Amino acid sequence: DIGEMACGEYGSGKFSDPIEISSIINNYFKNLDENKRFKALVTAGPTREYIDPVRFISNRSSGKQGNAIARECLERGASVTIVSGPVAVNYPKKAKIINVETASDMLKECLKSLPVDIAICVAAVSDWTAEKYSIKKLKKEQSIKSISLEKTPDILQNLTKSKKKPKFTVGFAAETENLKNFATKKFQKKNCDLLVGNLINQLGENQVFGSDYNKICLISKLGYEDLPILRKSEVAKLILDKIEKLLE
Ligand code: C5P
């Protein structure tokens, strides 16, 4: 820099402000990191399983947690694909967004997006779909006492069993009680690297669905960890911190 120097002279050669030096170094390494991007797949939102052209079975899900996780992946230099069911959130423009409705379409799109380094399955995939779909709208005058259901494909398990299996998979478990117990069982069953359990009825009136807050636990080979009620953006940061730690 130009300025007064320790030797008493004035001119170019002055030692630059250390804060400025560190910010140039930080930017240099940030750019290097950006070139070493990892690929992330995030499933988000609910799926809709149609009974007829106007009626469907679905799950409650705003897409906010999935959106926060996708944004955090982008912040950390990832290229991100979001496969999402119908939601009203604004996904980041930098991500590749694939809109789907049904679980089977979500599965197809997820498999098409492989290979990825990390798959984070936040979507509230409907567990059941109608065994028979009626092309014509069912009339209310018809007497329908029951609808036969069959299970939808498990997207997370299909990803972990795929030949192009992601290096790291994350599953979610939404529970209303016994979080530790149910989430631990799901961690074993789903064969994922990290399971995020979330309590969906612990925020009082400020329910998890559609809210900006979430209450989660993390289960991995590092053990079980309970977290307090946090903003979904903070939850996303802690999940990504944990993924980075486990990948180390
Ligand atoms: O089995 P359960 O639905 O409770 O598991 C939840 C986790 O599995 C979530 O990560 C969800 O995205 C994923 N899942 C899936 N395909 C399904 C059902 C759930 O990927 N059909």
Side-chain angles (χ1 to χ4, degrees):
D1 272 347
I2 296 167
E4 265 189 37
M5 288 174 277
C7 58
E9 283 184 19
Y10 185 91
S12 63
K14 179 180 153 67
F15 190 78
S16 299
D17 186 338
I19 291 175
E20 217 177 302
I21 296 172
S22 78
S23 119
I24 289 167
I25 294 170
N26 278 340
N27 280 339
Y28 172 79
F29 283 106
K30 200 171 158 233
N31 288 338
L32 277 189
D33 279 345
E34 297 246 324
N35 294 332
K36 278 196 235 143
R37 297 172 124 211
F38 61 96
K39 274 183 145 188
L41 164 68
V42 179
T43 71
T47 64
R48 287 179 178 173
E49 311 302 326
Y50 283 89
I51 297 161
D52 72 8
V54 292
R55 293 143 178 143
F56 56 81
I57 304 165
S58 192
N59 275 354
R60 287 183 73 184
S61 171
S62 65
K64 281 186 176 181
Q65 188 62 76
N67 190 22
I69 289 174
R71 284 175 186 275
E72 190 57 32
C73 288
L74 285 166
E75 275 291 306
R76 298 183 191 215
S79 69
V80 178
T81 300
I82 305 171
V83 182
S84 176
V87 287
V89 293
N90 289 321
Y91 285 127
K93 291 202 173 70
K94 278 193 195 163
K96 180 178 177 190
I97 299 147
I98 302 169
N99 294 306
V100 293
E101 284 202 79
T102 64
S104 77
D105 284 345
M106 186 174 271
L107 173 63
K108 268 185 229 151
E109 293 300 334
C110 286
L111 292 175
K112 266 201 255 170
S113 71
L114 297 180
V116 296
D117 299 295
I118 301 172
I120 310 176
C121 295
V122 197
V125 183
S126 171
D127 290 310
W128 301 282
T129 187
E131 218 167 48
K132 280 191 196 130
Y133 168 75
S134 168
I135 301 170
K136 289 184 188 161
K137 184 184 171 191
L138 295 167
K139 303 308 286 175
K140 132 163 105 184
E141 293 72 26
Q142 284 173 253
S143 129
I144 299 171
K145 294 221 169 67
S146 62
I147 300 167
S148 290
L149 302 174
E150 60 185 12
K151 281 206 168 155
T152 53
D154 193 302
I155 297 161
L156 176 56
Q157 280 180 332
N158 269 279
L159 291 175
T160 55
K161 282 181 193 150
S162 153
K163 277 186 190 154
K164 293 184 196 160
K165 179 182 187 298
K167 281 189 207 116
F168 197 97
T169 50
V170 183
F172 272 67
E175 303 292 349
T176 51
E177 57 187 334
N178 291 340
L179 183 64
K180 186 172 183 179
N181 191 7
F182 287 144
T184 306
K185 281 193 185 130
K186 202 151 285 180
F187 174 61
Q188 286 150 1
K189 183 179 153 211
K190 296 271 180 177
N191 198 22
C192 52
D193 300 291
L194 175 65
L195 189 114
V196 181
N198 62 321
L199 272 179
I200 53 175
N201 58 351
Q202 289 296 299
L203 306 181
E205 283 182 16
N206 191 9
Q207 290 280 314
V208 170
F209 300 118
S211 138
D212 290 327
Y213 293 85
N214 206 353
K215 163 94 180 88
I216 65 153
C217 70
L218 297 171
I219 305 170
S220 68
K221 65 178 182 192
L222 297 178
Y224 177 89
E225 199 180 326
D226 238 333
L227 296 175
I229 295 172
L230 293 167
R231 290 190 77 83
K232 286 182 176 170
S233 52
E234 290 168 304
V235 165
K237 282 194 173 68
L238 291 172
I239 291 172
L240 263 292
D241 284 349
K242 186 62 91 185
I243 294 173
E244 282 181 5
K245 194 164 183 194
L246 284 158
L247 278 171
E248 269 169 20

